[in-house]
Amino acid sequence: MNLSKRKNVIIAVLVFLLGMAIVGVTARQENIAQKQRKVVKAQLHLNSATASLKKDLQEAATATETLEAVAHATNGSTAELYKTMKSTYEKTKNIYSLHIAPKGVVTSVYPPVKDKMGKIDFLHDQETKEVSVYSRNKNVTIIRGPF
């Protein structure tokens, strides 16, 4: 093989290697940019979900405060409380049911349940006992999910 052919082969190999290096660097930069786009997208989803959850919790808190106020103002009048429960339920799209539980025992449920399964004693129910006792002892209102 003469010198000219060797130079051409060496130049071709060098051009190939240089091209592969450029492709590798470009692919790496694209990979980094794609990861950054995923992070930004995840942050946007998180911000959106956080805002939505905050709005839902504020709605639930407002509904709870309304029902508490009506219960105190009407001295626990079931008819007035039930009317307010219905109105609150219909106005609030993220509330699926309302339970009024004076002294830990559910006395009113909206929408009404046919088989009375919704009327439970929170203070003695295995799943709700701990949080209900805490709520009673600390005099705090409990809002439960799922959210």
Side-chain angles (χ1 to χ4, degrees):
M1 204 186 221
N2 65 21
L3 189 59
S4 159
K5 284 187 177 182
R6 273 192 186 169
K7 283 184 181 178
N8 286 342
V9 170
I10 291 174
I11 291 174
V13 169
L14 289 176
V15 167
F16 174 76
L17 291 175
L18 182 63
M20 291 304 293
I22 291 172
V23 167
V25 168
T26 304
R28 174 80 174 128
Q29 287 176 337
E30 181 56 33
N31 189 19
I32 290 170
Q34 189 175 25
K35 285 180 182 179
Q36 288 173 339
R37 284 191 297 271
K38 284 181 181 180
V39 167
V40 168
K41 189 175 180 180
Q43 287 173 335
L44 290 173
H45 284 303
L46 179 62
N47 290 344
S48 175
T50 301
S52 177
L53 182 58
K54 185 176 180 180
K55 180 181 170 276
D56 292 350
L57 286 172
Q58 286 172 337
E59 255 183 16
T62 301
T64 300
E65 290 167 1
T66 300
L67 292 171
E68 283 180 340
V70 169
H72 290 297
T74 62
N75 211 15
S77 166
T78 308
E80 192 62 36
L81 192 57
Y82 199 77
K83 189 166 76 172
T84 306
M85 287 172 73
K86 180 180 180 195
S87 171
T88 302
Y89 176 81
E90 290 169 352
K91 289 178 188 174
T92 311
K93 66 177 181 173
N94 293 315
I95 293 180
Y96 299 104
S97 68
L98 296 166
H99 296 74
I100 302 300
K103 298 183 182 169
V105 179
V106 176
T107 56
S108 300
V109 178
Y110 193 87
V113 290
K114 295 177 180 134
D115 56 7
K116 305 229 179 215
M117 287 298 292
K119 295 187 177 182
I120 61 172
D121 183 344
F122 286 118
L123 295 173
H124 296 97
D125 181 64
Q126 201 64 17
E127 290 182 31
T128 60
K129 181 178 182 176
E130 184 178 349
V131 73
S132 298
V133 169
Y134 175 85
S135 172
R136 179 195 63 199
N137 293 347
K138 301 291 185 181
N139 196 27
V140 295
T141 300
I142 301 295
I143 300 172
R144 289 190 60 187
F147 297 106

